[in-house]
Amino acid sequence: MEFTRQFPMKGGMGETSYANNSLLQRKVISMTKPITEAAITAFFSTIAAAMPASLTIADLGCSCGPNTLFAVSEIISIMIDLCNAKKHKLPEFQVFLNDLPGNDFNTLFSSFLPRFQEKLSEQMKSQYGASAALACFFNGVPGSFCGRLFAQESLHFIHSSYSLHWLSQVPRGLEENKGNISMSRSSPPSVLRAYYEQFQRDFSTFLECRGQELVMGGRMVLTLLGRRSDNPSSEEYRQFWELLAIDLNEMVTEGLIEKEKLDSFNVPYYPPSPKEVRREVEKQGSFSIDCLEVFEVNRDVFETDFDPNVVSEEAANKMVGCLRAIAEPLLVNRFGEEIINEVFKRFRAKLGNCLSKEKIALVNIIISLKKIT
């Protein structure tokens, strides 16, 4: 499977689009703001004597929706506040929004960007007076971040949230993973090893490329889904994909999906442990680690009135919507569009039952890095 062509998030503004089903990702951006702020503050302390006329920011794996510009807004606001606190003249901002070529850049630039720019202008005037203005230039950058995207030493700050757990391709050597669609409790050791080795290749290449693109002392903050355990066969991250695999196997039994198609279908997804992330950073050598933390996100993200003793319809429906916006393009590509509604109808029923019996928490890893070589 050629990942760069076949796996953008679901575009548009429809009910099942990523733009309307990315509440989880927005919550994670908010939760990680203190670490982002610390990274930007540390960077500003190194350039205090020579503030550049232009600051360049890249958001890698930006997708399409309000979260894209929410992350950028947070970063720019932090930089503006630091400039004002240090009595620096505001620089111009160059913002690069990157995702796969199939990403819905049209909706991003036609629907979300104009509203963002208008809001940013109003914010500047309300805080700094009617004559206040901010020069902020936006560029779309289609392409895989598992390769070079920008000129050498052209970026000051890189942000990426909920992208790096996706692999550049389905690993080779998964023939024995039949009946599963990702790493599972029944996956043989060879499958777990293939997934890990693909993650090593991808993350090492990502670090090497970003090391070439960042200025010396530039910062990078990355957030990705992961696991606490060093054991790749642990069960802490697999609930959603295993439930989806059960649905697909049921549909094979009922003749709704071809068995051969399911047997050769695997998701290019690997949630690393903190130790695995640290090991690749230290081995690659371009960055020092300022911060590496693990945190959880629970189902309360999806509920307006959270009650830990009651599983609401709202939470279950929003969790299904979140996974569907992510997984639907992969499933459509392999099995066709006609089975999608049935897949997620079944998934919704199983998820509701699962939520009533156990806590489901998503483990996240955030790492803040400084370019040192």
Side-chain angles (χ1 to χ4, degrees):
M1 178 179 296
E2 191 173 349
F3 181 63
T4 56
R5 289 185 182 175
Q6 299 178 357
F7 193 67
M9 302 296 103
K10 187 171 182 181
M13 293 294 292
E15 182 181 351
T16 59
S17 67
Y18 181 84
N20 287 318
N21 291 276
S22 50
L23 183 63
L24 167 65
Q25 291 85 341
R26 186 180 186 91
K27 175 67 173 178
V28 167
I29 292 170
S30 294
M31 292 175 69
T32 56
K33 181 179 177 180
I35 292 175
T36 300
E37 186 168 6
I40 295 172
T41 301
F43 174 67
F44 267 54
S45 69
T46 65
I47 59 171
M51 174 66 70
S54 176
L55 287 174
T56 308
I57 303 161
D59 189 8
L60 306 184
C62 67
S63 193
C64 173
N67 291 345
T68 300
L69 298 170
F70 176 64
V72 169
S73 176
E74 296 281 84
I75 293 166
I76 291 176
S77 293
I78 293 168
M79 290 182 170
I80 291 173
D81 289 343
L82 285 169
C83 285
N84 288 327
K86 296 177 180 296
K87 309 299 182 184
H88 290 308
K89 179 183 176 181
L90 284 181
E92 295 183 340
F93 292 95
Q94 182 89 0
V95 179
F96 292 109
L97 304 175
N98 156 258
D99 212 307
L100 300 175
N103 184 54
D104 190 359
F105 285 102
N106 287 336
T107 297
L108 175 59
F109 281 89
S110 63
S111 297
F112 292 104
L113 184 57
R115 279 182 277 170
F116 170 78
Q117 290 174 315
E118 182 180 347
K119 183 178 178 182
L120 188 62
S121 177
E122 292 173 356
Q123 179 183 339
M124 287 293 296
K125 290 177 181 178
S126 66
Q127 290 182 329
Y128 308 111
S131 61
L134 183 68
C136 194
F137 306 97
F138 288 84
N139 304 268
V141 183
S144 169
F145 53 51
C146 286
R148 283 287 301 277
L149 292 166
F150 308 102
Q152 188 167 346
E153 296 189 354
S154 61
L155 302 178
H156 297 98
F157 186 81
I158 293 174
H159 171 267
S160 181
S161 185
Y162 267 42
S163 296
L164 283 162
H165 44 257
W166 295 111
L167 302 174
S168 65
Q169 64 181 49
V170 174
R172 299 183 184 278
L174 304 187
E175 292 80 11
E176 301 303 315
N177 205 36
K178 291 176 180 168
N180 301 312
I181 63 173
S182 63
M183 295 191 302
S184 175
R185 70 193 78 188
S186 61
S187 297
S190 61
V191 168
L192 304 180
R193 184 168 57 253
Y195 267 103
Y196 175 51
E197 290 174 352
Q198 186 64 50
F199 168 76
Q200 287 181 298
R201 287 190 291 270
D202 287 350
F203 193 46
S204 176
T205 301
F206 175 90
L207 293 169
E208 181 180 350
C209 292
R210 306 297 82 80
Q212 295 178 50
E213 295 163 350
L214 272 169
V215 301
M216 190 64 64
R219 257 62 177 193
M220 181 161 64
V221 176
L222 313 173
T223 308
L224 63 160
L225 285 165
R227 64 183 197 273
R228 293 184 184 277
S229 172
D230 292 328
N231 181 1
S233 64
S234 65
E235 298 183 11
E236 60 185 313
Y237 61 88
R238 296 198 307 249
Q239 295 100 325
F240 293 138
W241 297 117
E242 289 198 345
L243 290 178
L244 197 57
I246 292 170
D247 289 335
L248 295 172
N249 277 284
E250 288 177 353
M251 294 175 74
V252 166
T253 302
E254 297 169 21
L256 301 174
I257 290 176
E258 295 177 27
K259 185 177 186 301
E260 293 75 15
K261 287 187 176 181
L262 179 58
D263 284 345
S264 59
F265 176 70
N266 288 279
V267 178
Y269 168 84
Y270 184 83
S273 70
K275 183 179 290 186
E276 290 170 346
V277 172
R278 180 182 293 275
R279 184 183 298 132
E280 293 308 312
V281 173
E282 293 175 346
K283 184 167 61 175
Q284 196 279 322
S286 295
F287 298 91
S288 63
I289 299 174
D290 287 338
C291 172
L292 175 59
E293 294 185 6
V294 178
F295 64 98
E296 290 187 355
V297 178
N298 300 304
R299 64 177 173 86
D300 60 310
V301 171
F302 300 98
E303 299 186 65
T304 305
D305 300 306
F306 176 65
D307 182 343
N309 299 312
V310 178
V311 180
S312 73
E313 290 290 316
E314 177 188 27
N317 290 336
K318 286 182 177 179
M319 290 173 83
V320 172
C322 180
L323 183 68
R324 178 168 180 169
I326 294 169
E328 182 171 331
L330 266 178
L331 295 172
V332 168
N333 178 267
R334 173 62 59 157
F335 304 110
E337 193 166 357
E338 61 277 4
I339 58 97
I340 293 300
N341 287 336
E342 179 62 22
V343 169
F344 286 102
K345 177 182 175 183
R346 296 176 185 227
F347 179 80
R348 167 64 182 82
K350 289 183 176 61
L351 179 63
N353 183 54
C354 184
L355 287 171
S356 68
K357 296 178 180 178
E358 61 181 296
K359 170 188 173 184
I360 293 183
L362 295 173
V363 176
N364 299 264
I365 296 173
I366 182 167
I367 184 167
S368 178
L369 301 167
K370 175 186 176 182
K371 181 183 172 182
I372 56 173
T373 63

